[in-house]
Amino acid sequence: MKEIQLELEFEDKRSLFETILDAYNLKIAFKRVKANKGAPGIDGITIEEYEQNLEEELNQLKEEVQSWSYKPTPVRRVEIPKPNGKGTRNLGIPIIKDRVLHMAIKLVIEPILEPTFSKNSYGFRPGRNQQQAVQEAKRIVESGKEFVVDIDLSKFFDRINHDRLIHRLKAHIDDTRVLRLIGMILRSGVLIDGIKTPTEEGSVQGSPLSPLLSNVVLDELDKELEQRGLEFCRFADDCNIFAKTERAAERIMTSIKKFIEKKLKLKVNEDKSKTAKSDQVKFLGMTIVKATIAISKAALSKAMEKVKELIPRGTNLAIEQAVEKINSWYRGWASYFKMTQYPAQLRSIEAHIRRRLRARIVSQQKKKRNLVAKLIKRGVAKKQAENTVYTNRKTWALSHTKAVEKAFPNKWFSDTLNQIIVSDKKLDHWFDQEVWVKLT
């Protein structure tokens, strides 16, 4: 997906409120919403349906907001399981009209807020990404600060304090109508089992505006850490602070935890937060091991599970379709994790993919004689094929035999199917909010 490159032209005499509702800005906002895709909200209207009468829809939205007859629609609550299998994460899906307004606000206020953010913040900011955050973490560890204060915020987006957020925005936005509009959006409510539940705290994960607002909230933490002279890297609510000694790390954890809970009105997840050497801490799916970057054990484990999910046993899905599915996922996964300085980690995933595909090929031969014939046809000697197949070996064991690997070598996957990607190829991927959420 190509990101739409559009710029707004601001007129000095126009207020922020008027700029947000400018017809050109609203059109850009819709194009961004469309590019992000996404499901419809509680009204069931899709992006395509909204676009059919776009001019009329945008004019109506502008009139409603200008006259203050606009009322945000409650978001549709969707609970998605966390990758570790423990609990769920709440996502909210606003209707398209609301999403357009959220994006229109973001387009106008982001250029004002962006220069005020910390250089140590990398999440959901133009020109910044996870790779840069991990590289900076590596640099800090190399400098001698190998102990990490790994802070995990419990249900961060659900616990954002509205009053504190608006107060922070006031320091940079002097148009009270914009602040009032953002306040209305924050209090739009959630529809759960057909019942509207008010939102007295939190910001909807799923709104185009939420990532920016989250940075406004956590910039207060950034400024506190900078004032204390601490080195840190933050990506959204994932924050690592670095220290030279374990004792110093423990002191930082105690004082920062108090600041977060007392001042920011947020909660630190005791179970997931810890102080440890960098090689015992995962940051954005990576681990700093002796000043080198490696894929974390947790991320590797999740990848193995994903491969199992995409190439299940006992399915009639054609091998070409299975390859297409796994390749679609692996392109994105490998393009991010290629920053590892241990290529064997990528090769282990690729080997696992190939073995599961070989197992699928074996399982699709309903009778042993069919598998023998398949192997012979693929260049395996008759005796070797028979000695391999006519045993008590099950499918998984057969997939790792010399005969099956000779019939379907690594080269067959890359050349014949031209699909499975190997780790030394160049990959490009735009890592958006949705992908980050799935990884954490």
Side-chain angles (χ1 to χ4, degrees):
M1 181 180 69
K2 293 182 178 179
E3 188 179 5
I4 301 171
Q5 299 295 328
L6 293 166
E7 295 182 358
L8 289 174
E9 296 179 359
F10 294 92
E11 294 181 10
D12 294 338
K13 295 182 181 179
R14 284 196 303 180
S15 67
L16 290 181
F17 186 74
E18 291 169 331
T19 305
I20 288 168
L21 298 179
D22 179 81
Y24 179 57
N25 186 43
L26 290 176
K27 284 181 181 178
I28 295 174
F30 172 75
K31 288 182 179 180
R32 294 285 179 93
V33 168
K34 182 180 178 181
N36 289 340
K37 302 179 181 178
I42 64 172
D43 62 358
I45 297 175
T46 65
I47 293 172
E48 292 74 22
E49 289 170 338
Y50 190 86
E51 189 175 19
Q52 288 176 4
N53 299 299
L54 186 59
E55 291 289 339
E56 184 180 333
E57 293 284 1
L58 295 182
N59 286 335
Q60 183 180 341
L61 174 59
K62 179 177 180 178
E63 289 172 9
E64 287 179 6
V65 176
Q66 282 180 327
S67 64
W68 293 102
S69 62
Y70 169 77
K71 287 185 177 12
T73 303
V75 300
R76 179 161 66 89
R77 168 66 57 84
V78 177
E79 293 184 352
I80 61 171
K82 291 184 177 180
N84 58 13
K86 297 178 181 178
T88 58
R89 177 181 283 111
N90 293 330
L91 296 182
I93 304 177
I95 64 171
I96 306 302
K97 178 175 79 170
D98 289 349
R99 246 182 277 177
V100 171
L101 181 60
H102 298 185
M103 182 64 78
I105 296 171
K106 175 182 180 289
L107 289 171
V108 172
I109 69 173
E110 185 175 56
I112 298 169
L113 297 170
E114 174 61 26
T116 71
F117 292 150
S118 167
K119 66 180 179 64
N120 301 296
S121 164
Y122 294 87
F124 312 133
R125 297 181 60 188
R128 288 175 165 253
N129 55 41
Q130 289 96 329
Q131 289 93 332
Q132 292 170 344
V134 173
Q135 289 290 350
E136 177 60 14
K138 175 178 176 286
R139 184 198 66 77
I140 297 172
V141 171
E142 281 179 324
S143 74
K145 296 184 177 179
E146 60 179 350
F147 287 90
V148 181
V149 181
D150 184 18
I151 295 176
D152 184 271
L153 299 179
S154 177
K155 296 185 176 180
F156 166 66
F157 280 92
D158 295 337
R159 289 195 165 112
I160 289 176
N161 184 283
H162 292 173
D163 291 338
R164 289 195 61 78
L165 172 55
I166 296 299
H167 178 74
R168 296 284 298 176
L169 287 169
K170 276 183 181 177
H172 308 288
I173 298 172
D174 57 7
D175 193 327
T176 56
R177 293 170 297 179
V178 176
L179 298 175
R180 179 184 171 188
L181 201 53
I182 293 172
M184 289 170 61
I185 290 168
L186 292 171
R187 296 187 299 273
S188 62
V190 178
L191 200 68
I192 305 175
D193 296 327
I195 300 172
K196 179 181 176 180
T197 302
T199 46
E200 296 176 355
E201 62 179 1
S203 180
V204 175
Q205 269 188 282
S207 161
L209 190 56
S210 281
L212 177 61
L213 297 182
S214 73
N215 275 331
V216 173
V217 172
L218 290 174
D219 186 63
E220 191 170 1
L221 172 62
D222 297 343
K223 297 296 191 286
E224 178 69 17
L225 296 175
E226 288 173 345
Q227 190 175 341
R228 297 186 187 193
L230 298 172
E231 288 195 275
F232 67 98
C233 294
R234 182 178 67 77
F235 190 96
D237 58 337
D238 196 348
C239 183
N240 278 0
I241 309 166
F242 301 86
K244 287 186 176 180
T245 66
E246 185 176 9
R247 199 169 179 179
E250 289 172 352
R251 283 200 305 268
I252 292 168
M253 173 65 86
T254 301
S255 61
I256 292 301
K257 178 178 177 290
K258 184 177 179 181
F259 174 82
I260 289 171
E261 297 189 339
K262 299 292 184 185
K263 190 79 181 288
L264 302 187
K265 311 297 183 185
L266 298 170
K267 186 168 179 58
V268 173
N269 188 323
E270 300 280 359
D271 295 332
K272 294 184 178 179
S273 300
K274 63 179 180 179
T275 59
K277 278 195 169 183
S278 66
D279 59 2
Q280 299 299 312
V281 175
K282 68 180 179 70
F283 181 50
L284 302 175
M286 310 304 292
T287 298
I288 311 299
V289 182
K290 295 180 181 179
T292 59
I293 298 171
I295 304 171
S296 72
K297 290 179 181 178
L300 281 173
S301 178
K302 289 176 193 173
M304 291 293 189
E305 288 300 314
K306 187 66 177 180
V307 172
K308 188 186 294 185
E309 175 192 324
L310 292 172
I311 315 175
R313 297 189 192 180
T315 174
N316 294 321
L317 188 70
I319 192 69
E320 290 81 6
Q321 290 176 289
V323 168
E324 186 178 346
K325 283 175 64 178
I326 195 72
N327 192 55
S328 177
W329 163 77
Y330 187 66
R331 272 200 177 100
W333 190 89
S335 70
Y336 175 69
F337 286 104
K338 69 178 180 179
M339 76 174 87
T340 178
Q341 293 175 276
Y342 297 87
Q345 291 185 305
L346 290 174
R347 289 197 292 269
S348 70
I349 298 294
E350 292 159 8
H352 187 57
I353 290 172
R354 288 189 291 266
R355 184 172 180 185
R356 288 197 71 87
L357 288 170
R358 289 187 185 106
R360 282 287 308 284
I361 293 170
V362 170
S363 68
Q364 286 176 352
Q365 312 309 310
K366 301 304 180 184
K367 295 183 179 180
K368 288 188 176 183
R369 67 169 180 267
N370 293 346
L371 179 57
V372 169
K374 186 88 169 176
L375 295 179
I376 293 172
K377 186 178 179 180
R378 295 284 308 158
V380 178
K382 181 180 179 182
K383 187 174 181 181
Q384 184 184 12
E386 290 176 341
N387 288 343
T388 299
V389 176
Y390 293 124
T391 63
N392 292 325
R393 291 189 185 102
K394 302 296 182 183
T395 299
W396 187 243
L398 282 170
S399 69
H400 197 41
T401 57
K402 289 182 179 179
V404 173
E405 289 179 348
K406 181 179 179 180
F408 300 97
N410 296 356
K411 198 171 187 298
W412 182 79
F413 290 99
S414 58
D415 291 354
T416 306
L417 294 178
N418 194 26
Q419 288 289 325
I420 294 299
I421 298 172
V422 292
S423 55
D424 60 353
K425 284 188 178 178
K426 254 190 169 181
L427 300 166
D428 294 305
H429 179 63
W430 181 62
F431 220 74
D432 61 9
Q433 180 187 359
E434 184 181 355
V435 177
W436 176 78
V437 166
K438 287 178 182 176
L439 269 177
T440 55

